[in-house]
Amino acid sequence: MVPDNDIIRAVAEAIEGFRLVVVASGAGTSKESGVPTFRDALEGLWADFDPEELATPQAFQRNPDLVWSWYMERYRKVQSVKPNPGHYAIASLEELYPQVTVLTQNVDGLHAVAGSTDVVELHGSIRRFKCFAACRGEPTRVDIAQLEVTEEKAPLCPYCATAKVRPDVVWFGELLPVAALERARALSEKCDVFVVVGTSGVVEPAASLPRIARAHGITVIEINPEETLVSRYADFCLRGPSGEMLPRLIQALRALRQGDHAERAI
Ligand code: BV8
């Protein structure tokens, strides 16, 4: 049952006067753009695999072409889709608040495409590629547009011609970018409102951020059609798709702001 306007308005009233907003997003935020969530991404021919079998450095070393094919299929998909109303609503928060930072687990780059200007990519980006051996330092960025790339075969790094090219994402068992994680943790401790959207709250250390925010007395809002491991840390849960819930929340915030201006104008 999708929340009614009263709940949306209550959330808007609870956060309207704040300044620092953090939006923590997961795969559900991109679902309405047609990007399968991480577990959905293992549908079809990938259904027999689990993420640990494909999204790890060991999997890539064991079978680089198999892992490369999975990422190229997802990369082409991401190139072909557009942000959805939820992404645009998150971007429009910047018109209402002095500081809005998106901490995303997603690797699809859609927040930036939608206009968000401060996005922390906790798990890297499927749109970027690098040398597996970091032959020129971490990361040795590789522009695959300059290479003869096929969907089936992981290309050799053009610099060392020894290691293969891999997606610039954080695999299971790999550390998150230190600066990104440090900034995410610092913001989760000092923001005014923490909106967590479209994540099951399974994957660490990203999944700990809502708990950190809650522990620091910060208002936590969850937007997700389902209850998740994050729900217990939320002051408000908007049970619906982000592409519908977020635009309604923006509308309610704008109405409050206009109401304020109208009052002041009297
Ligand atoms: C690390 C990039 C040090 C690749 C990804 C404790 C501490 C530290 C680490 C661990 C720990 N416990 C376990 C670990 C190891 C591991 C981990 O968390 N494992 C899990 C399986 C338990 N973590 C790591 O390895 C991390 N590295 O910590 O290094 C270390 C290492 C080993 C051991 C100890 C320490 C690295 C993790 C990063 C992995 N890379 N992505 C790629 O994309 O290919 S993770 C990938 O899966 C995504 O990035 C994302 O983070 C995750 C999927 O999660 P969600 O985004 O939540 O998506 P999901 O499909 O689960 O859920 C979708 C949600 O959307 C649902 O709730 C659904 O209801 C909702 N939804 C659906 N439709 C909508 C919607 N919501 C809104 N609107 C809709 N329309």
Side-chain angles (χ1 to χ4, degrees):
M1 196 265 289
V2 170
D4 62 21
N5 277 327
D6 290 351
I7 301 172
I8 303 268
R9 193 176 309 117
V11 172
E13 282 162 0
I15 66 171
E16 194 270 331
F18 286 141
R19 297 182 53 75
L20 305 188
V21 177
V22 160
V23 178
S25 70
T29 315
S30 297
K31 186 149 185 193
E32 291 157 85
S33 294
V35 179
T37 64
F38 196 67
R39 276 129 195 95
D40 297 349
L42 295 164
E43 275 171 348
L45 70 160
W46 305 107
D48 316 347
F49 297 94
D50 72 33
E52 319 278 310
E53 274 187 66
L54 289 171
T56 65
Q58 293 79 8
F60 188 74
Q61 281 178 303
R62 220 177 15 249
N63 194 333
D65 296 344
L66 174 75
V67 176
W68 175 263
S69 307
W70 184 49
Y71 278 93
M72 287 312 280
E73 184 179 299
R74 291 172 62 198
Y75 174 54
R76 297 300 178 209
K77 176 76 180 170
V78 159
Q79 284 182 307
S80 70
V81 300
K82 297 216 178 326
N84 65 62
H87 291 109
Y88 288 115
I90 291 168
S92 69
L93 282 169
E94 295 182 24
E95 298 155 20
L96 298 169
Y97 291 94
Q99 185 186 332
V100 180
T101 302
V102 181
L103 308 175
T104 189
Q105 298 175 73
N106 300 339
V107 296
D108 56 36
L110 289 177
H111 285 297
V113 175
S116 287
T117 59
D118 185 12
V119 182
V120 178
E121 293 180 320
L122 295 168
H123 294 161
S125 171
I126 204 166
R127 297 172 186 254
R128 292 192 303 266
F129 296 84
K130 64 183 182 181
C131 171
F132 183 81
C135 62
R136 290 185 160 189
E138 181 59 45
T140 300
R141 291 253 190 278
V142 174
D143 176 2
I144 63 165
Q146 308 302 320
L147 305 176
E148 292 284 311
V149 166
T150 68
E151 309 298 288
E152 296 77 31
K153 213 158 169 46
L156 279 181
C157 167
Y159 301 110
C160 64
T162 312
K164 304 263 186 181
V165 175
R166 58 163 285 183
D168 186 17
V169 298
V170 178
W171 277 329
F172 289 101
E174 291 186 320
L175 291 170
L176 275 62
V178 174
L181 186 54
E182 278 173 4
R183 182 152 188 253
R185 283 181 171 145
L187 284 169
S188 301
E189 291 176 5
K190 70 172 190 342
C191 64
D192 296 318
V193 57
F194 190 97
V195 188
V196 49
V197 191
T199 181
S200 58
V202 167
V203 174
E204 291 291 358
S208 298
L209 298 175
R211 177 172 50 74
I212 292 170
R214 178 67 182 218
H216 284 76
I218 291 163
T219 302
V220 177
I221 296 155
E222 179 182 39
I223 299 177
N224 194 317
E226 292 167 19
E227 185 170 346
T228 69
L229 293 174
V230 169
S231 305
R232 71 192 74 172
Y233 305 120
D235 298 283
F236 299 91
C237 291
L238 296 181
R239 285 279 171 259
S242 48
E244 181 190 331
M245 294 295 100
L246 282 161
R248 286 176 60 191
L249 181 55
I250 297 297
Q251 203 178 5
L253 285 165
R254 287 207 169 112
L256 281 176
R257 292 286 167 90
Q258 271 142 24
D260 281 358
H261 292 321
E263 268 166 28
R264 276 192 222 122
I266 293 167

